Amino acid sequence: MITYTLPIWASVMAWPMLGERPNWRKLLAILLGLAGVALMVDIGSAEARWEKLPGAAFGFTAAWMFGLGTVVAKKHPLRMPPSASVAWQCALGCIPVVLLALFEHPDWSRVTPLGWTALAYIATIPMTVAYLAWFRALKLVAASTAATTVLVSPMMGVLGSRS
């Protein structure tokens, strides 16, 4: 839940960095977003313990950095075709994942055809089409507005889990 606060951080940073002064509706949305996250984090068996602090800190840092990246990408867009930009960013972003995966010992024979299909889907739809749409939205609208589009992701996860 903490990572989905990124629209809040993008809105807050867009004001000084891009001059996107929030109106009363954006301020209300920020307050409602923070209240919603606070409610969701407090639901169920969530309890404050020191063991949970690193995970929460990483989640907050990821949200803050994605918000910052949104504002920086709006202020200084890359001067290359969007498809090339997405390909480079995905490739470079996969390097740490691959390096960490070297410490794992997977049994590839246990991956089903459906598993390989799911992997192919993730590599094409979210990692290409969705990012192309994301950068297009960032080009067309305010950074704080574009950042709110990531809120579709948890909704799709919930809808997909219902089937």
Side-chain angles (χ1 to χ4, degrees):
M1 289 309 303
I2 293 171
T3 57
Y4 287 103
T5 62
L6 96 86
I8 296 166
W9 311 122
S11 296
V12 169
M13 288 184 265
W15 185 357
M17 295 176 72
L18 299 173
E20 293 181 9
R21 187 179 177 118
N23 57 27
W24 70 270
R25 286 182 290 199
K26 278 193 183 170
L27 290 173
L28 180 61
I30 289 170
L31 290 174
L32 289 173
L34 285 172
V37 169
L39 285 171
M40 293 301 290
V41 169
D42 196 38
I43 287 177
S45 64
E47 46 191 61
R49 293 198 327 246
W50 286 107
E51 298 87 35
K52 294 184 179 186
L53 185 60
F58 281 124
F60 173 77
T61 302
W64 187 85
M65 290 180 74
F66 199 162
L68 177 63
T70 299
V71 173
V72 170
K74 179 73 175 183
K75 187 171 185 162
H76 303 289
L78 295 175
R79 289 184 171 90
M80 67 172 60
S83 56
S85 171
V86 168
W88 274 108
Q89 290 179 58
C90 289
L92 293 172
C94 286
I95 291 172
V97 174
V98 170
L99 291 174
L100 289 170
L102 294 175
F103 295 102
E104 295 292 324
H105 303 289
D107 181 0
W108 298 109
S109 66
R110 297 187 70 178
V111 180
T112 65
L114 182 60
W116 287 112
T117 303
L119 179 65
Y121 168 79
I122 290 169
T124 55
I125 304 302
M127 297 298 283
T128 55
V129 175
Y131 272 114
L132 287 171
W134 161 255
F135 285 115
R136 181 69 175 159
L138 192 56
K139 184 176 183 177
L140 296 175
V141 299
S144 55
T145 303
T148 60
T149 63
V150 302
L151 298 176
V152 173
S153 182
M155 182 184 70
M156 295 305 293
V158 169
L159 292 174
S161 70
R162 299 267 183 205
S163 57

